[in-house]
């Protein structure tokens, strides 16, 4: 049933620092569209960087990702992970959001490291760090 499930994790840089109101606007539209398109995922925002995980049926994820990449509110999008996955990590979240200030120190450190190492690691294919980061995040939610 989920044979063509796809997962993308990317990192990007906000064109300018986002206010809470602007972030909420991105989230509102994302949740509406993603509910319609059967896409779930997670958005992290830390110090001017976005990390987003998108998961769902492959064609749907492609469409959303293509639309998001063109958004002028961010740039320098680095795809850190793009693979097939048998199941969703965030099945109930049309777009989960966490301001990173609310996260534990270890996770914050992992996010900081992820952002620093991203330019080198985006060119490698396995997305190991992206996967580890997202897994830690899922653990912290339990
Ligand atoms: C960091 C970031 C993440 C986004 N994530 C999503 C998303 O998950 N789903 C989505 O539909 N739009 C997302 N958007 C918004 C899209 O870029 C675009 O503005 C929106 O999909 C247009 O929707 P509309 O045609 O319904 O107005 C995101 C934008 C930014 C800046």
């Amino acid at each position: 049933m989920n044979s063509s499930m796809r997962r993308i994790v990317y990192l990007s840089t906000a064109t300018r620092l986002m206010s809470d109101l602007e972030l909420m606007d991105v989230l509102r539209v994302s949740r509406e569209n993603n509910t319609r398109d059967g896409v779930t995922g997670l958005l992290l925002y830390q110090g001017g960087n976005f990390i987003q995980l998108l998961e769902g049926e492959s064609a749907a994820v492609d469409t959303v990702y293509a639309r998001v990449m063109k958004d002028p509110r961010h740039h320098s999008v680095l795809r850190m992970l793009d693979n097939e996955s048998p199941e969703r990590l965030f099945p109930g979240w049309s777009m989960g959001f966490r301001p990173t200030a609310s996260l534990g120190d270890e996770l914050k450190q992992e996010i900081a490291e992820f952002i620093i190492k991203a330019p080198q690691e985006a060119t490698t294919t396995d997305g190991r760090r992206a996967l580890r980061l997202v897994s830690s995040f899922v653990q912290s939610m339990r």
Side-chain angles (χ1 to χ4, degrees):
M1 188 182 92
N2 285 326
S3 57
S4 62
M5 275 283 300
R6 170 102 167 276
R7 176 175 302 138
I8 290 180
V9 176
Y10 75 79
L11 169 75
S12 68
T13 306
T15 306
R16 48 192 188 78
L17 291 181
M18 302 278 286
S19 69
D20 287 352
L21 219 62
E22 289 169 318
L23 280 171
M24 288 311 125
D25 193 55
V26 168
L27 282 170
R28 184 181 48 77
V29 172
S30 299
R31 286 169 177 158
E32 278 170 18
N33 290 345
N34 295 355
T35 299
R36 177 194 66 205
D37 299 337
V39 169
T40 53
L42 169 72
L43 182 67
L44 295 170
Y45 180 70
Q46 168 158 300
N49 286 109
F50 292 108
I51 298 170
Q52 188 172 32
L53 178 144
L54 295 164
E55 56 184 10
E57 199 266 315
S58 189
V61 169
D62 258 343
T63 305
V64 173
Y65 183 66
R67 199 165 64 223
V68 171
M69 267 184 41
K70 284 188 283 186
D71 195 309
R73 288 171 287 189
H74 64 168
H75 60 87
S76 309
V77 178
L78 293 172
R79 194 178 342 194
M80 303 302 296
L81 177 83
D82 185 347
N83 60 23
E84 301 240 313
S85 163
E87 58 181 27
R88 291 177 196 251
L89 284 167
F90 301 94
W93 294 11
S94 57
M95 190 44 61
F97 175 74
R98 287 295 176 275
T100 51
S102 70
L103 303 174
D105 284 345
E106 211 171 306
L107 203 45
K108 266 192 258 186
Q109 183 58 37
E110 240 177 286
I111 291 169
E113 220 166 287
F114 178 86
I115 291 169
I116 290 166
K117 303 241 164 95
Q120 299 122 268
E121 295 193 0
T123 53
T124 69
T125 49
D126 65 359
R128 218 178 312 151
R129 192 181 298 273
L131 213 54
R132 200 162 62 230
L133 175 66
V134 172
S135 306
S136 310
F137 190 86
V138 174
Q139 294 298 325
S140 80
M141 291 292 103
R142 298 223 160 97

